[in-house]
Amino acid sequence: MRGSTKLTVGLHRPDWGRLFARPAVRLSARCAGTFLAAFLLSSLSVAGSPLPMAACLAACVAFWPLGVLALAGSCMGYFLFWGLQAGLEQVGIALLVFAGTGLFRDTRLPVSGWFSPFLCAALTAAIGFVFLLDGGLSAGNIALYAVKILLAAVCPPLYRQALDERRRGAILALGLCLFTALATVAPPYGRLLAVAVTYLVAVSSARVGLLPTLLCALAMDLAAGTAGTLTAALCAGALLCRLFPRQSSVARAAMLTVASLSWQLFFGTVSVPYAACAVAGSAAGLFVPFRWFSDCPDTEHPAKGSAGAQLRRISRVFAMLHRELTGIEPVACHSEISDVYDFTAEQVCRCCVLYHTCWEQDARATYQDLCAAAGPIMERGTALREDFPASFVGRCRHMEGFLTAVNQELEANLYRRQMRNRLQESRRILSGQYLFLSRFLGKLADDQYRPPTAEPQFTPDFSASSACRPGSTVSGDRCASFRDQWNRYYVLLCDGMGTGREAAAESDRAVRTLTGLLESGVAPDTAMELLNGFYVLQQSSSFATVDLLQLDLESGEGTLYKWGAAPSYLRTGQEVKKIGTAAPPPGLDVAAGHNPQQLRLSLKDGETLILVSDGAFGEETEKRIAGFRGSTSRELAGYVVAGAAPDSEDDLTAAVLRLVPGSSA
């Protein structure tokens, strides 16, 4: 809307897509989903004993508000499903996991891959040992104790892969756990529905392996307490399908269903409702694309440095970009007529002596008259005098000017609509290309290894320190470092636009995208161009600045790529040199001149590179770096952040890198 005159013409239908795209609605949905997931997971058990799957959820989501809701849902579920005495062990684990996550949330530990599994497993082992001693050191209790520790270590990576990385295999496993919990909470109908879904998954995934079928069957056996009979039956049917791979989909579904039901009939564990649900699920599985389960192969994953691993990794990156583009809602056009009327009111009616009469005293009548004319105007694309009621035409003193302004704005809206349509078409085209690349590279994945590289001559000494803007609990800056199999070391510092959770989400996405591409062997400039093209097509006016260092650990030389980021510092002895200049960030356009700045540098002679975000940049920072007398990169990073302006309106991050002669191997 323009100016202070606002008019909403009620001609459009509810747009549920835009409603659920609102941050408040999405956050509410995530909060409700987190609470419900923790509540359902608390019902899962083995041998009549609750499992720590719900207690570990708080370590894998944002501390506030999702972590609080995960804690509340798990505690409520454990006490409701298992009572005070039986649920006390898992409630204690949930409380300590939540407290440990909150205690270390401002450090780099939560973003490391080992912290959450270690925290959950250690707390489960410590608290479980007390209850183990109380229950007796029998073989069954010790085995159950070991199973709980194993699940506590496995659940955090599973949750992160499902919630953050959106891997289909992890989503499938988590979905099965939740569905099994639902089947356990609401028998017998929930259990029969779970049987149908189990057979649906088994038929759908028959062409890609046994793992999805095995996960479903194990989940159902846990829910029903059938001692593995469903697992054995479905695996027998799936193996029979693998013996005859050239059969049609219908034949495979029939073989799997008949073989598994015959197995269960032989052991007397099948009933008529059960068989009916199995047949219905198998029939429904014929219509589910098996590619949904293509990320769940039953073969071993290749080694990290193999060509197959690289292809699969970059395939997942392209799949992520495809999902991001396809998830963008097109700009709705239902309010165009309101914009036209608002523009006309500002251009024509504002100067009229009857403005207050039409738009304030008789606002309701004006609104009804304009609504009556909106339909014919939008259908024809032009406004005529005959479209407006006689009451409106009779009292309007500038009718010709009103019509002229309406038609001018309609023409401008037509061009804008065409531009939006072309942009949406471009998004669809590029999204299809990303999907094609993802599938094509996934098919090409194999276990061919690259030639071994020489021994590195340097070991990186890297540290980072970060602080949130005063009054905020989430930093919009993200930093990452990693080493590839070709002895190249990378440091990434991304600063999301603004502060808070939206900035953090944008910088997280930039770091994940660039990290996946770089680990796959993509050149840094190519990876940043892909990120820039994605920002341009996204058209969301959000972006993240990028500091990217690629360093050769054999020579100690490398390249610093800067795109929209604050200048960095290179310290040699006591001398500090500012490198890089302010430039527009990625996402503005794809013109030839809009590229990252490339700076060649060397750290082989003891130089120290300091990357800072916008909030930590300034003259005081340069003075503190020059006057630093410490010995470690960790001390320097903390010193830079601690000396930044306390009233800064931006997040503060400093990343420090120096090279130590000698190999870390």
Side-chain angles (χ1 to χ4, degrees):
M1 298 291 182
R2 295 176 174 86
S4 59
T5 304
K6 298 184 181 295
L7 176 65
T8 301
V9 180
L11 301 174
H12 61 276
R13 300 176 181 177
D15 191 342
W16 302 112
R18 294 190 65 190
L19 174 64
F20 289 109
R22 294 177 179 175
V25 177
R26 295 176 62 182
L27 178 60
S28 301
R30 291 184 63 190
C31 291
T34 301
F35 179 85
L36 182 60
F39 181 78
L40 290 176
L41 289 173
S42 64
S43 68
L44 295 177
S45 65
V46 169
S49 179
L51 298 176
M53 299 182 69
C56 299
L57 185 59
C60 306
V61 295
F63 184 78
W64 171 263
L66 300 182
V68 176
L69 291 172
L71 175 66
S74 59
C75 293
M76 183 181 298
Y78 283 127
F79 282 140
L80 180 63
F81 295 130
W82 304 102
L84 179 61
Q85 184 175 0
L88 186 60
E89 175 186 358
Q90 303 306 324
V91 170
I93 296 174
L95 289 172
L96 289 181
V97 166
F98 178 77
T101 304
L103 183 64
F104 294 100
R105 75 177 189 275
D106 293 330
T107 68
R108 294 182 58 202
L109 290 177
V111 300
S112 60
W114 59 268
F115 175 76
S116 296
F118 175 79
L119 177 67
C120 295
L123 293 176
T124 302
I127 297 179
F129 185 73
V130 177
F131 285 85
L132 176 64
L133 294 177
D134 183 64
L137 296 176
S138 63
N141 289 340
I142 293 176
L144 183 59
Y145 173 68
V147 168
K148 290 181 179 180
I149 296 176
L150 179 62
L151 279 176
V154 169
C155 283
L158 173 68
Y159 294 154
R160 291 194 183 280
Q161 291 179 8
L163 302 176
D164 297 337
E165 301 178 20
R166 306 288 181 86
R167 296 187 183 181
R168 289 197 185 99
I171 293 175
L172 172 64
L174 179 57
L176 289 173
C177 293
L178 293 172
F179 199 86
T180 303
L182 182 62
T184 305
V185 172
Y189 301 108
R191 188 171 300 166
L192 291 177
L193 182 59
V195 169
V197 173
T198 303
Y199 276 85
L200 181 149
V201 172
V203 172
S204 305
S205 62
R207 291 178 58 183
V208 296
L210 298 177
L211 183 57
T213 301
L214 181 62
L215 289 174
C216 286
L218 285 174
M220 278 302 303
D221 279 331
L222 287 174
T226 50
T229 55
L230 180 59
T231 303
L234 277 174
C235 287
L239 288 173
L240 181 62
C241 293
R242 298 295 290 269
L243 294 176
F244 302 96
R246 297 181 180 274
Q247 301 297 323
S248 64
S249 300
V250 176
R252 280 197 306 273
M255 285 191 297
L256 184 143
T257 306
V258 172
S260 60
L261 290 179
S262 299
W263 178 288
Q264 292 179 289
L265 183 62
F266 178 78
F267 288 98
T269 58
V270 68
S271 61
V272 174
Y274 182 100
C277 290
V279 172
S282 300
L286 296 174
F287 302 97
V288 176
F290 73 91
R291 65 176 180 272
W292 287 6
F293 307 95
S294 59
D295 286 348
C296 307
D298 59 336
T299 58
E300 294 184 358
H301 290 286
K304 182 178 180 181
S306 69
Q310 304 305 315
L311 288 173
R312 285 196 176 93
R313 190 174 293 114
I314 196 171
S315 174
R316 288 195 294 268
V317 173
F318 281 125
M320 181 190 70
L321 295 177
H322 163 72
R323 289 193 299 269
E324 292 286 350
L325 279 181
T326 53
I328 298 175
E329 293 290 334
V331 179
C333 301
H334 57 256
S335 62
E336 283 185 352
I337 188 62
S338 298
D339 295 337
V340 169
Y341 285 152
D342 288 342
F343 173 80
T344 305
E346 288 293 325
Q347 297 295 317
V348 178
C349 300
R350 177 69 72 175
C351 303
C352 181
V353 295
L354 297 179
Y355 175 80
H356 294 289
T357 302
C358 294
W359 294 98
E360 294 179 3
Q361 298 177 11
D362 298 334
R364 183 178 182 84
T366 302
Y367 171 81
Q368 293 175 348
D369 291 341
L370 294 179
C371 284
I377 291 175
M378 293 303 295
E379 183 178 354
R380 188 187 312 112
T382 57
L384 301 177
R385 180 185 291 265
E386 294 77 14
D387 296 330
F388 296 90
S391 57
F392 182 87
V393 176
R395 69 173 181 270
C396 182
R397 296 192 175 186
H398 304 280
M399 193 63 199
E400 295 301 324
F402 187 92
L403 291 174
T404 301
V406 167
N407 288 325
Q408 288 177 350
E409 186 64 10
L410 283 172
E411 185 177 4
N413 269 340
L414 175 62
Y415 291 127
R416 287 194 288 268
R417 190 186 312 123
Q418 292 174 347
M419 182 194 67
R420 288 194 295 264
N421 292 337
R422 284 195 295 269
L423 182 60
Q424 186 65 20
E425 184 180 22
S426 299
R427 287 200 191 107
R428 288 195 298 266
I429 293 173
L430 187 59
S431 175
Q433 291 176 348
Y434 281 145
L435 182 61
F436 166 78
L437 287 172
S438 174
R439 293 176 179 174
F440 181 73
L441 293 175
K443 292 179 181 179
L444 291 180
D446 56 23
D447 290 333
Q448 298 176 358
Y449 289 87
R450 286 179 176 262
T453 57
E455 193 70 13
Q457 302 300 312
F458 299 94
T459 299
D461 176 20
F462 173 78
S463 292
S465 180
S466 181
C468 300
R469 175 181 62 86
S472 176
T473 59
V474 178
S475 174
D477 303 337
R478 289 295 182 270
C479 189
S481 65
F482 57 93
R483 172 179 169 181
D484 65 15
Q485 63 271 25
W486 301 290
N487 289 331
R488 293 190 297 246
Y489 192 74
Y490 294 91
V491 175
L492 261 174
L493 176 59
C494 293
D495 183 359
M497 182 181 65
T499 59
R501 299 188 182 278
E502 294 185 2
E506 193 57 52
S507 54
D508 269 333
R509 179 165 55 184
V511 168
R512 290 202 314 269
T513 301
L514 292 174
T515 300
L517 291 171
L518 294 170
E519 286 182 339
S520 304
V522 177
D525 52 350
T526 302
M528 296 179 75
E529 287 175 5
L530 285 172
L531 181 66
N532 177 62
F534 173 72
Y535 279 152
V536 171
L537 288 171
Q538 187 185 19
Q539 201 190 21
S540 65
S541 69
S542 61
F543 57 86
T545 64
V546 179
D547 265 321
L548 169 59
L549 172 68
Q550 183 191 57
L551 196 65
D552 189 350
L553 295 180
E554 297 177 23
S555 64
E557 298 178 348
T559 305
L560 177 61
Y561 299 83
K562 300 184 67 66
W563 208 342
S568 303
Y569 302 95
L570 186 65
R571 171 171 167 164
T572 306
Q574 302 303 318
E575 181 183 354
V576 178
K577 179 182 179 181
K578 185 167 62 176
I579 58 176
T581 57
L588 297 183
D589 55 53
V590 291
H594 188 57
N595 295 313
Q597 185 183 11
Q598 300 185 23
L599 304 169
R600 293 288 301 174
L601 52 83
S602 173
L603 301 182
K604 63 182 179 181
D605 296 325
E607 298 90 343
T608 302
L609 177 66
I610 301 97
L611 307 178
V612 295
S613 63
D614 291 336
F617 174 73
E619 295 181 0
E620 182 62 28
T621 299
E622 186 172 352
K623 294 179 181 178
R624 291 180 70 84
I625 294 174
F628 177 72
R629 296 297 181 265
S631 58
T632 66
S633 60
R634 181 182 297 274
E635 292 175 349
L636 178 54
Y639 187 70
V640 169
V641 172
D647 56 348
S648 174
E649 293 300 321
D650 202 355
D651 303 309
L652 314 170
T653 300
V656 179
L657 175 67
R658 61 180 60 165
L659 293 182
V660 179
S663 173
S664 60

